[in-house]
Amino acid sequence: MTSALDVEETAGALDKYRRRAGGLILAGVVTLALAVGFWALLVDTVSSRTAAMPFVPGILLLGGGTGMWGLAWRMRRALGAGTWSVHPAVAIGHGRTATTVVLRSPDRSEAWPLTVIATRQRYELVRPGPDGVLWWCGDPRVGGVLAPPGGGELIWAKPVRGGHVRRRVVARAEAEGLMHRATPRQPGNRVPGPVPGPDQATDVDSVRGPEGVQEPKAVRGPEAVRGPEGVQGPEAVRGPEAVQGPEDVQGPEDVQGPEAVQDVARTEPSGPTYAELFEHARRQAGPRGGRAPRPERDAREVAWWRVRSLRRVAGVHRVVIALGFCAAVGAVALTGPPKEDALKLGAVGVLVLGALVYSCHRLLTVGRPAARAMVRALTGTVHVRRRYTLLYDPRGGAPVLVLFPMYDGWDAGPEAVLRLIPPGPPKQPRRGLPAKPAGTVELHGWRDFTVDGRPFVVAWIDGRPHWPAGPYQEADGPEFAALVDRLAPPLEAQAS
């Protein structure tokens, strides 16, 4: 790897960022051109203030696109001149447009406080995951690019200004244990070399449904379905009455070792083991926040639209909100608004009506089929038991179950992953997730399949379903290995 741009994900992310910037610039120019025509036609019939309103979004779009284009140019220059390095990281601050991230230098002698230049939505793509690891390319004295493990999302960051502010920020990062975290493995297993740090005061002593699901007409019955590789007779049962309840896996005494499975060939795992991911899951486990979720109807006994969580997955709430706005606009129109406000009201009416049509379209074409597929999976007669570790994707923080064979011991490698839909509200997305970072799960389904043949399953843990955000992904190829490395960044050494 001669430069960070040699990483395929990084080059793709930069190209996507530049296209987004170009799209905003083009949209701004078109909007301004339309605004000029609108102003020329209506300046004599409406107030000048009303006629000038279309210029505002055009100026905002053009300004935002120009700023993004400038950042894209700076990112390309930094990524082309350097390579990625991996650093323990701590996020500090909760501003709407800027947040501070503190990285630890490769030799553990310094901390680099950096200000993220991004909106809150963009920053969430690279927020340090629970393991606290970010990729960095640049010079901490002048600025550089941050990315989550894998280099698939890019954010520009610059050094924090002011010695007092830097010392305060670094002190908070030290209090969270940044300087004592394990050293992450570098891309390509290269040994981290010295990287220049800031000049001043940075010494540690001074300072809202899965897609691609086939309709029932293309569904194969359970008699033609094989479960995940490695499923044996006792694990594939018929009916919930024959299924043992989930058990929490806490240590070696709770897991039957390899001696429990006889005459089965074992191979040494080439990737992370259950023991390693178990430790990652313990570190990533955090407070669920708020009170426990309210009980809801059992999806196995009632129609899907009577289950609160499935209504949210399908997008029913978006349709209801759009209907409310349409009703409000209609009520205002019936009261006879002033003539000068009629044009504004008509524009708002078009927007909310478009939102209603789009929400209904998504509900009928994506949300409803996904909810019905989840119910079919949950009520299917085929279900198996697996061990799991609960990890969180640093790209957005979505929960992911990493699944293991039931009786293969601590050295077993992962056989699949299952992405979950966060069950909690936007401000507390972890509320309602399994209470333990590891345990056993019942996987229901293998009735519906995606177009590429991946089965669709629902996880049942602690007496309730956890709805999937995608299909069951088996351990097959480099993409799976890259995903696991992103969920649990490989470590090389423990800092003293």
Side-chain angles (χ1 to χ4, degrees), residues 353-380:
L353 186 60
L356 176 62
V357 172
Y358 177 77
S359 300
C360 291
H361 174 74
R362 294 287 295 179
L363 172 64
L364 295 176
T365 61
V366 177
R368 178 173 173 269
R372 296 181 64 184
M374 292 179 185
V375 173
R376 285 196 300 272
L378 186 61
T379 57

Side-chain angles (χ1 to χ4, degrees), residues 178-267:
L178 174 65
M179 308 308 292
H180 301 285
R181 289 186 180 175
T183 300
R185 185 182 307 164
Q186 299 299 312
N189 293 324
R190 59 186 177 85
V191 178
V195 180
D199 290 334
Q200 304 179 12
T202 55
D203 186 86
V204 295
D205 297 326
S206 59
V207 264
R208 185 172 313 124
E211 302 183 24
V213 178
Q214 296 181 4
E215 287 298 313
K217 61 185 179 182
V219 173
R220 292 177 284 176
E223 65 280 355
V225 179
R226 290 190 305 168
E229 184 177 346
V231 176
Q232 301 191 8
E235 297 173 30
V237 297
R238 301 283 179 176
E241 67 279 355
V243 181
Q244 299 180 13
E247 301 172 1
D248 296 327
V249 179
Q250 292 295 324
E253 65 277 6
D254 296 322
V255 182
Q256 297 189 34
E259 65 276 7
V261 181
Q262 301 179 5
D263 300 326
V264 178
R266 306 288 186 194
T267 59

Side-chain angles (χ1 to χ4, degrees), residues 89-390:
V90 170
I92 296 174
H94 303 283
R96 295 185 63 85
T97 58
T99 298
T100 300
V101 172
V102 183
L103 305 181
R104 192 187 72 194
S105 64
D107 59 4
R108 308 192 190 110
S109 64
E110 294 180 333
W112 303 338
L114 303 166
T115 298
V116 174
I117 309 301
T119 62
R120 170 60 61 180
Q121 290 76 15
R122 283 279 301 158
Y123 167 70
E124 290 298 331
L125 298 175
V126 299
R127 175 188 288 275
D131 270 329
V133 171
L134 286 179
W135 285 20
W136 165 258
C137 179
D139 187 339
R141 297 170 297 185
V142 296
V145 183
L146 288 171
E153 297 288 348
L154 308 177
I155 293 289
W156 183 260
K158 64 181 183 180
V160 173
R161 303 300 180 186
H164 174 71
V165 176
R166 283 200 301 273
R167 286 190 293 270
R168 177 167 52 84
V169 168
V170 171
R172 289 185 58 184
E174 289 178 344
E176 296 191 25
L178 174 65
M179 308 308 292
H180 301 285
R181 289 186 180 175
T183 300
R185 185 182 307 164
Q186 299 299 312
N189 293 324
R190 59 186 177 85
V191 178
V195 180
D199 290 334
Q200 304 179 12
T202 55
D203 186 86
V204 295
D205 297 326
S206 59
V207 264
R208 185 172 313 124
E211 302 183 24
V213 178
Q214 296 181 4
E215 287 298 313
K217 61 185 179 182
V219 173
R220 292 177 284 176
E223 65 280 355
V225 179
R226 290 190 305 168
E229 184 177 346
V231 176
Q232 301 191 8
E235 297 173 30
V237 297
R238 301 283 179 176
E241 67 279 355
V243 181
Q244 299 180 13
E247 301 172 1
D248 296 327
V249 179
Q250 292 295 324
E253 65 277 6
D254 296 322
V255 182
Q256 297 189 34
E259 65 276 7
V261 181
Q262 301 179 5
D263 300 326
V264 178
R266 306 288 186 194
T267 59
E268 287 297 322
S270 58
T273 64
Y274 176 73
E276 294 170 346
L277 296 186
F278 178 85
E279 290 301 320
H280 277 284
R282 285 205 308 175
R283 282 195 297 270
Q284 293 187 12
R288 298 293 180 260
R291 61 184 183 276
R294 290 183 296 142
E296 61 180 8
R297 304 296 295 271
D298 191 335
R300 298 170 298 183
E301 300 176 354
V302 298
W304 70 265
W305 47 267
R306 299 180 64 184
V307 181
R308 184 177 62 256
S309 57
L310 285 179
R311 290 197 300 267
R312 185 166 67 90
V313 169
V316 174
H317 64 291
R318 288 190 289 268
V319 175
V320 173
I321 292 173
L323 278 173
F325 275 103
C326 286
V329 172
V332 173
L334 291 176
T335 61
K339 183 179 179 180
E340 59 271 17
D341 293 336
L343 184 61
K344 301 178 186 177
L345 185 62
V348 173
V350 171
L351 290 176
V352 298
L353 186 60
L356 176 62
V357 172
Y358 177 77
S359 300
C360 291
H361 174 74
R362 294 287 295 179
L363 172 64
L364 295 176
T365 61
V366 177
R368 178 173 173 269
R372 296 181 64 184
M374 292 179 185
V375 173
R376 285 196 300 272
L378 186 61
T379 57
T381 57
V382 175
H383 49 285
V384 300
R385 296 181 66 205
R386 286 289 180 266
R387 290 181 296 170
Y388 75 85
T389 58
L390 177 60

